[in-house]
């Protein structure tokens, strides 16, 4: 089980300047994209660039998002990831648990499955529990498109189903991207909403978004102080703590919060 990223930055593997810039960035995870961010004529060169980039190394863990099953590039992408030094593979438009297990076996590293179609949402519990799947990512652009909803409000049920499926399988779960590059307040608000749904972190598309999402998903000082006090005071069974009832699950949640806050965020435990 890897420590869940709070911030996962997508970048097109076809953009050398973005790759160069990413070397000095510190999201919890980089995702070099071969799928929708890359135009068809650039697919092969982007694949080679992604493999070269992860071979050179980044300061943080790096994933490669392959093209989906049924596309002309899928098999070559999987072979490239399998032979690469990528920490993770991201599979878009996941819909079938058995196919995803086969992808995880082929790339021989953990897979983050993107849930971004109605069929994917309905299959999310089986996908999250499939062998080799470390967690789920909500693909909100594709999901809104396919559900024919104009905005995030119409995604609420799907987003909560994705969180539910990931948690039931014990995996991590990341929220979708915020497209409006010039609206940091909107990003912060969407991060807060995603956190309230239970997401561990957010996928991002621009370096300027990293600090905003990191702040939104990091536990604040007051929460950490309270968690430490609760763990110290824990006696087992029901108890009064600062005016409220606490039981074992509250102590467990406090311990998890403290562990997450002190975890080495740039070293995934795979
Ligand atoms: C959205 C962008 C195309 C905007 O690009 P641009 O206008 O060039 O940005 P800036 O001029 O503000 O860039 C400033 C410098 O930062 C570098 N940069 C920009 N974006 C990134 C990045 N993501 N990672 C690393 N570095 C980045 C630029 O190169 C500039 O540096 P320099 O060249 O040295 O001056 C662009 O931000 C972008 O391509 N973003 C990522 C797009 C992407 O990966 N999309 C796929 C994932 S989103 C998705 O598909 C989710 C899901 O599937 C769904 O359905 O929702
Ligand atoms: Mg998508």
């Amino acid at each position: 089980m890897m420590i869940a990223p709070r911030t996962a930055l997508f970048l097109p593997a076809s953009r050398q300047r973005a790759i160069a810039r990413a070397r000095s960035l510190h999201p919890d995870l980089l995702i070099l994209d071969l799928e929708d961010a890359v135009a068809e004529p650039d697919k092969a060169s982007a694949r080679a660039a992604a493999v070269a980039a992860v071979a050179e190394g980044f300061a943080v863990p790096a994933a490669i998002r392959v093209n989906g099953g049924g596309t002309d590039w899928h098999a070559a992408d999987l072979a490239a990831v399998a032979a690469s030094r990528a920490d993770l593979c991201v599979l878009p438009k996941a819909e079938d648990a058995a196919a995803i297990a086969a992808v995880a076996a082929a790339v021989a590293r953990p897979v983050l499955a993107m849930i971004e179609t109605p069929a994917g949402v309905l299959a999310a519990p089986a996908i999250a529990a499939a062998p080799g799947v470390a967690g789920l990512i909500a693909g909100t652009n594709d999901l809104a498109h396919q559900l024919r909803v104009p905005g995030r409000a119409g995604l609420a049920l799907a987003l909560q189903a994705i969180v539910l499926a990931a948690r039931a399988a014990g995996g991590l779960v990341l929220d979708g991207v915020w497209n409006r590059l010039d609206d940091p307040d909107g990003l912060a608000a969407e991060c807060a909403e995603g956190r309230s749904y239970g997401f561990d972190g957010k996928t991002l598309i621009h370096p300027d978004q990293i600090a905003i999402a990191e702040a939104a998903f990091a536990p604040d000082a007051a929460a950490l102080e309270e968690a430490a006090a609760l763990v110290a005071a824990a006696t087992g069974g029901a108890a009064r703590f600062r005016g409220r009832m606490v039981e074992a699950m509250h102590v467990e949640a406090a311990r998890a919060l403290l562990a997450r806050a002190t975890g080495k965020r740039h070293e995934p435990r795979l």
Side-chain angles (χ1 to χ4, degrees), residues 9-12 15 17-18 21-22 25 33 35-37 65 114 116 139-142 177 181 205-207:
L9 178 67
F10 276 106
L11 59 153
R15 284 188 68 173
R17 288 179 68 100
R21 179 77 200 280
L25 300 173
D33 190 24
E35 200 221 15
D36 285 348
R65 178 167 79 166
M114 293 197 66
E116 42 187 353
T140 43
N141 283 298
D142 275 300
V177 299
L181 298 164
I205 52 167
H206 193 280

Side-chain angles (χ1 to χ4, degrees), residues 11 16 40 127 133 157 175 188:
L11 59 153
Q16 277 301 329
E40 291 193 8
I127 292 170
V133 173
L157 177 62
D175 201 351

Side-chain angles (χ1 to χ4, degrees), residues 4 18 116 161 203 239 257:
E116 42 187 353
T203 48
L257 186 76

Side-chain angles (χ1 to χ4, degrees), residues 41-260:
D42 300 330
K43 293 288 189 187
S45 58
R47 184 188 304 127
V51 169
V54 294
E56 196 172 328
F58 291 98
V60 300
I64 296 177
R65 178 167 79 166
V66 298
N67 289 283
T71 68
D72 290 347
W73 311 284
H74 184 65
D77 288 353
L78 295 188
V81 172
S84 80
R85 300 188 65 182
D87 296 292
L88 298 160
C89 178
V90 175
L91 181 74
K93 302 180 181 70
E95 293 187 333
D96 179 73
I100 287 137
V103 166
V107 298
R109 68 209 65 209
V111 170
L112 296 177
M114 293 197 66
I115 306 298
E116 42 187 353
T117 65
V121 174
L122 295 176
I127 292 170
V133 173
L136 304 180
I137 300 176
T140 43
N141 283 298
D142 275 300
L143 206 42
H145 173 60
Q146 295 217 10
L147 290 174
R148 300 181 207 156
V149 297
R152 178 128 165 141
L155 298 180
L157 177 62
L159 293 176
Q160 290 179 310
I162 292 167
V163 174
L164 192 60
R167 293 291 177 238
L172 62 89
V173 62
L174 302 182
D175 201 351
V177 299
W178 173 254
N179 294 343
R180 293 170 199 258
L181 298 164
D182 299 326
D183 183 2
D185 293 342
L187 170 61
E190 193 169 282
C191 287
E193 183 191 66
R195 192 172 172 182
S196 78
Y197 282 160
F199 284 104
D200 292 308
K202 194 155 179 72
T203 48
L204 308 171
I205 52 167
H206 193 280
D208 291 351
Q209 297 182 332
I210 298 171
I212 295 167
E214 173 62 30
F217 282 94
D220 61 36
L224 289 173
E225 186 280 327
E226 178 153 309
L230 175 52
V231 169
T235 54
R240 176 187 283 268
F241 174 77
R242 295 186 179 176
R244 63 190 168 91
M245 184 199 73
V246 292
E247 293 182 335
M249 80 290 285
H250 302 110
V251 178
E252 190 184 319
R255 284 206 178 94
L257 186 76
L258 293 169
R260 192 158 146 64

